[in-house]
Structures are given as C-alpha cells and as structure tokens.
Amino acid sequence: MKEKKCFAKNDRVTITIEDTGMDGEGIGKADGFTLFVKDAVVGDVIEAKIMKAKKNYAYARLEKVITPSPFRVEPACKFARVCGGCQLQAVSYEKQLEFKQNKVINDLIRIGGFDANYIKSITEPIIGMEQPFFYRNKAQYPIGTDKEGNLIAGFYAGRTHSIIANTDCKLGLTINRPILEEILAFMKEKHIPAYDEILHQGLVRHVLIRSGFSTGEIMVCLVINGKDLPEKETLVKRLLQIDFGNYYYDVKGVYTEGKLDRKDWKITSICQSSNTQDTNVIMGDRYEVIYGNGYITDKIGDVAFRISPLSFYQVNPVQTAKLYETALAYANLTGNETVWDLYCGIGTISLFLAQKAGMVHGVEIIPQAIENAKENAKLNQINNALFYVGKAEEVLPREYEENKIHADVIVVDPPRKGCDEKCLETMIKMQPERIVYVSCDPATLARDLKYLCGNGYQLQKVQAVDQFAQTVHIESVIMMQYCGKEKKK
Ligand code: SAH
C-alpha cells in the first residue's frame, strides 16, 4: 500500500477541488489526505496552505486560484469572504442549486438507507429563486465606531465581534441603506454615541429593519443600551422624509435613479427596544412604539401575518409561499381532514392548511409564538385552527392517550435537530394516512424518514425549495403515505 503522506502546518499543496462540504468549503485530496479549504469552489485548481493537520484530514487556507472553476463567479458583495454569511457567493447559482439538490438526495440514500434509483425517481427538480439576491425581509445591522471615530453600520466579520462598515448587504433590500444612513447622520448630528461592546458603553446597539413584501410596509427598530433615545421626534421626522423612489442599487452596486423593486415602500412603524444586558442577544425583551402601531403586515399566499419587532417570521416570503404550496399539495386535503401541524411556530403552515382542512391542530413550544398564531388566526377569520403550547413529544402522546386524538394528515416542521423519537413513535401509533415533513436539515430528515419508513410508511415525494440563496442552508419537503398491512380504523 502506498504510504500516506503526513502534512504539517504551513505546508503548501496544489489540489483540485472535487466537492463542496457542509459549510460551503471546497474539498480536495492530496496523497490520500482530505483537505477542507474555505472559499475554494468545486472545480478550482488551487494552491492551499495547511493550517491545521489531523491524522487523515486537514484544514487549509486558499492561497491562490491557479485555474478557476467554470462554476466560479465574481461575488456580488465585496465583503463576501470576510463576512462569511454567504458561504456560496463565489459559486454560480445553478451550481448552488445542484449542490443543495444532491445533498438532499445523498443524505436520503446514505443516512436514510433508501434505494438510490428509487430516490432519484421520486425527487422533483429543486425550486430555485428567480432573483437570488435582495430576498430577505429582515435585516439586523450592528452599529459601532470605526478606528477614525466615525459612526458605522455593518456586519460582524466572520467569527469575530469587529464591525465592518457596509450598509449594503446583497441579501437584504436596497431600502435598508438610506434608512441606515439617515440614522447614522441623525446620531452624528445629535452626538448620540454607538454602543461599544467591550466597554459596555454608548447607546445605539443595533438597527432592525423588517419589510412586508406584499404590503410595502417597513418597520424600523433601534435597539439601545438605555431607556430612551434622545430627540426621537426628530428621528421620526427624518426617517419619514426618506424618498425610497430614489434608491436602487443593482447587485453590482450600480446606482439607478428611480428604479425600485416596488414603488410604494413606506415606513409605517418605528420602535425602540431597550437592551442593557452585556449579551450577544440582539433584541431586548420588550419594545416601545415611537411611531405608528408597532407592527407591519405581510402575506404568504392569501394568509396575512402581523409582524412585531419580536415576532418570528419567515425571512424569504416568496420562497416560503412555494414551500407551503408544496406542503399543501402533498397534504392532499379535500376539506374534511383533521390535520396536526407539529412545531408550528406562529402558525404559518397551520393557517395555510386550515383553508383546505376540516380542523388543524398546531403544537409549538414557545408560548409567545402561540399567542401570535392565535392572533393571526383571528386576523384571517380562520376558526378551524386550535393551538397548543408544549413540546411536540409531550403534547402529542398526551393527547393521544388521554383524548384519543386522530389525524388524517400530520405535518412536521422541526428545528435542525429533527423530531424527538417519542414524537415519531406516537405518529406511528396514530397512523395518519399521510405525513408531510418540512425540513431545514436533510441529515436529520433522512434519519427520521428511516424510522417512519421502517414502521409502515412509504416515501413518495421529495422536493427541495431554495430559501436561502448564496448560503449553504437547505430546505425541503417530503410526503409519506401509510402502507402498513393492518390499517387501523
Ligand atoms: N412551521 C413554523 C416554524 C418552524 S421552525 C413556520 O413555518 O413558521 C421550528 C419551530 O419548532 C420553532 O418555532 C421552535 O420554537 C419549535 N420547537 C422547537 N422544539 C420544539 C419541540 N420540542 N416541540 C414543539 N415545538 C418546538
């Protein structure tokens, strides 16, 4: 056998990048050794420097691209590499989609133990975005001071707490920039200091901007290290005077006067949230309305949602609608079904399904989210949705044992760690006709499907939907049908 070479720190190697890793890094091999190289693109031939060597693998730094990959593109944002928020910006969007699609398929085969040909035959082509930039409806900018003492808004350099000035994140809307610039100008004029994380001094910590894509409503919330922002009325006046019609920068940062994704953006709500804790948590526990009513409204499909500074809401409403559309089609409802929606958050999926179901029961661990879900049900005059606070793995078994609940369809949308086994076990006992699984992590999805499909269910449909272009995050939805021998009635 060929002897494996050992690498040491600072060694230089020339390698071809053959694959993309979980964090978007390039993966290549040198003498049987696996190298993980951040910022390298699949297809690149590169020179890399070993930073940390283990027995069979090493982390290396990209030193030079010798032959660029045909899939390499110029990142739209000049800070892409230092920021780290967009792991895939140097990869063409088609290749990003292929990476995500393959990750779902491969995890189902490798972790789920499904037959490769079968999985390929039931997997639909991934649903990508029409516009893979400017898609986020929520932006949170830290405010600070640069070395020269100028006030800045920007982002934290990857894995650090130093702020790099940039009011122009390409994932967010172009309207964020004039809002941030107005706030910085106001602070400068009124001598209002930015917060200093190390000294735990200063006032303005973060600016949160949330936008309703379907309504044009914008909410601005300043997070402050104190009780009250001075001269709030002046700030309100200045913010309301911004003419959004004059702000449009395309992906390359080219300014085009008057061209805007929508013409009628308006700030309808301005808030402040006090956070005097020495913490990484951005928002305080409460907020105070300075102008407007403290919330904005947005719609996913036909369902309206009221969004306050503290409420959870999907960040990419356009793709979320496509994801839920698919989940709804997979649920195959006729109007009479009883549906359980586990991990329901603010009831987004529950309310979407309620339009076509007999009764929907949503379960969610965070009480505040359930409050929002109930308010949203009222707002949409939806009367056939009931919500429960608690862990899915506790509420479902309890309701099944004590109240003999039944479900025709169960929908789950768990966090990354997937479903608790107790929850899956109860789902099997309940034997719904169909299970729709919405997942933000293909690995735990595959693990949970292995369990469900080992207990009477057959995987029938797989659909990935890209919610987070330029990043490695992967969202997918699958449908399973009950096909066990003795169907309970
Ligand atoms: N379906 C929702 C939210 C999905 S995110 C939407 O589309 O908006 C996952 C949700 O699961 C979060 O709201 C989280 O608070 C909740 N959660 C986490 N662990 C849980 C558990 N053990 N039981 C119930 N809900 C849980």
Side-chain angles (χ1 to χ4, degrees):
M1 209 172 88
K2 197 177 152 197
E3 182 124 348
K4 232 185 224 171
K5 199 178 157 200
C6 273
F7 284 103
K9 190 170 161 78
N10 293 334
D11 280 356
R12 281 168 188 269
V13 283
T14 299
I15 54 166
T16 302
I17 301 298
E18 291 161 11
D19 208 350
T20 307
M22 269 179 21
D23 298 319
E25 74 281 17
I27 302 177
K29 284 210 161 69
D31 296 321
F33 220 71
T34 304
L35 297 179
F36 297 95
V37 194
K38 188 177 163 301
D39 304 312
V41 171
V42 67
D44 277 347
V45 178
I46 61 156
E47 187 184 302
K49 184 161 126 186
I50 309 287
M51 302 310 288
K52 199 168 162 193
K54 301 270 182 184
K55 205 162 156 233
N56 296 314
Y57 64 94
Y59 298 99
R61 193 168 72 192
L62 173 62
E63 290 288 293
K64 196 167 117 196
V65 179
I66 299 168
T67 316
S69 160
F71 311 115
R72 188 174 261 285
V73 294
E74 183 67 31
C77 170
K78 63 174 188 259
F79 300 107
R81 207 169 154 176
V82 5
C83 168
C86 292
Q87 307 85 356
L88 298 176
Q89 244 196 62
V91 182
S92 73
Y93 188 51
E94 294 86 83
K95 199 68 185 171
Q96 290 181 28
L97 291 176
E98 189 187 307
F99 159 71
K100 295 185 185 194
Q101 174 90 333
N102 287 343
K103 175 91 169 74
V104 173
I105 292 175
N106 291 338
D107 280 356
L108 288 173
I109 297 167
R110 201 170 45 85
I111 302 169
F114 293 96
D115 176 70
N117 288 331
Y118 179 67
I119 289 297
K120 284 174 192 159
S121 73
I122 59 165
T123 304
E124 300 287 334
I126 183 168
I127 301 175
M129 295 184 200
E130 272 163 42
Q131 165 59 284
F133 291 97
F134 309 129
Y135 61 80
R136 284 183 62 99
N137 59 10
K138 175 180 172 183
Q140 299 180 112
Y141 281 88
I143 306 295
T145 315
D146 69 7
K147 286 201 190 82
E148 284 78 45
N150 302 310
L151 289 168
I152 54 170
F155 60 90
Y156 295 117
R159 281 176 258 160
T160 75
H161 271 247
S162 58
I163 301 171
I164 293 180
N166 175 29
T167 49
D168 202 18
C169 167
K170 299 287 191 264
L171 301 193
L173 295 170
T174 55
I175 52 171
N176 295 336
R177 181 161 162 172
I179 295 172
L180 291 163
E181 281 170 359
E182 199 60 53
I183 291 172
L184 293 179
F186 161 79
M187 286 172 64
K188 189 172 173 195
E189 203 180 290
K190 305 291 176 194
H191 306 288
I192 299 172
Y195 178 64
D196 181 321
E197 228 180 64
I198 296 164
L199 301 173
H200 189 44
Q201 273 173 12
L203 192 64
V204 183
R205 299 174 71 129
H206 272 87
V207 173
L208 162 76
I209 306 170
R210 305 188 84 162
S211 315
F213 279 32
S214 66
T215 55
E217 295 175 2
I218 305 168
M219 169 166 51
V220 180
C221 182
L222 287 90
V223 184
I224 53 172
N225 174 43
K227 282 220 168 71
D228 206 18
L229 191 72
E231 303 207 41
K232 294 191 292 274
E233 301 70 27
T234 314
L235 176 67
V236 168
K237 221 182 256 166
R238 288 182 67 150
L239 285 175
L240 294 181
Q241 274 166 7
I242 298 174
D243 178 3
F244 293 109
N246 282 328
Y247 281 88
Y248 180 86
Y249 293 84
D250 70 10
V251 175
K252 294 245 155 69
V254 178
Y255 174 73
T256 322
E257 194 165 357
K259 187 168 176 274
L260 192 69
D261 34 7
R262 62 176 299 149
K263 290 275 176 218
D264 53 348
W265 285 112
K266 56 194 174 296
I267 295 177
T268 55
S269 214
I270 303 172
C271 306
Q272 65 179 8
S273 174
S274 168
N275 180 359
T276 54
Q277 303 291 311
D278 190 358
T279 164
N280 286 341
V281 176
I282 295 178
M283 299 294 292
D285 301 334
R286 293 160 205 280
Y287 61 93
E288 188 193 321
V289 180
I290 306 176
Y291 168 79
N293 41 21
Y295 59 82
I296 56 167
T297 307
D298 192 30
K299 275 184 157 187
I300 295 180
D302 291 329
V303 186
F305 295 91
R306 201 166 268 183
I307 308 152
S308 81
L310 295 176
S311 44
F312 171 85
Y313 185 62
Q314 294 283 349
V315 297
N316 183 343
V318 175
Q319 291 300 102
T320 299
K322 296 179 192 168
L323 184 74
Y324 292 175
E325 228 57 91
T326 311
L328 183 64
Y330 284 2
N332 199 7
L333 302 175
T334 59
N336 304 316
E337 290 82 357
T338 300
V339 183
W340 280 75
D341 176 23
L342 309 178
Y343 311 88
C344 72
I346 58 162
T348 341
I349 298 180
S350 318
L351 299 178
F352 211 71
L353 296 170
Q355 304 171 103
K356 298 269 169 67
M359 193 71 201
V360 178
H361 303 262
V363 183
E364 160 64 41
I365 196 169
I366 299 177
Q368 181 61 39
I370 289 293
E371 283 310 307
N372 289 158
K374 289 178 180 168
E375 285 159 19
N376 288 326
K378 248 193 227 142
L379 179 69
N380 291 283
Q381 288 152 351
I382 291 175
N383 305 315
N384 58 338
L386 281 177
F387 294 99
Y388 307 71
V389 179
K391 292 183 178 170
E393 61 272 24
E394 289 174 7
V395 174
L396 201 67
R398 184 193 72 212
E399 291 296 313
Y400 179 67
E401 256 128 56
E402 289 175 12
N403 297 323
K404 306 275 171 285
I405 53 158
H406 156 86
D408 298 299
V409 180
I410 295 182
V411 178
V412 298
D413 183 9
R416 291 228 185 116
K417 66 174 196 234
C419 295
D420 189 279
E421 197 164 316
K422 183 89 194 145
C423 177
L424 295 176
E425 203 182 287
T426 312
M427 285 160 68
I428 301 269
K429 283 188 196 153
M430 288 172 69
Q431 271 182 28
E433 196 66 40
R434 279 175 296 288
I435 298 175
V436 178
Y437 195 132
V438 181
S439 157
C440 54
D441 184 340
T444 54
L445 168 74
R447 180 202 66 200
D448 291 351
L449 294 196
K450 185 176 187 176
Y451 183 93
L452 293 167
C453 292
N455 285 284
Y457 283 85
Q458 191 192 31
L459 179 57
Q460 296 204 326
K461 281 176 177 158
V462 180
Q463 173 75 69
V465 180
D466 190 25
Q467 298 260 65
F468 308 104
Q470 320 305 335
T471 81
V472 288
H473 300 295
I474 306 170
E475 204 69 38
S476 55
V477 51
I478 66 91
M479 193 268 270
M480 277 170 286
Q481 186 87 33
Y482 185 74
C483 63
K485 287 196 187 71
E486 338 96 59
K487 172 82 187 132
K488 228 173 43 171
K489 228 331 41 132

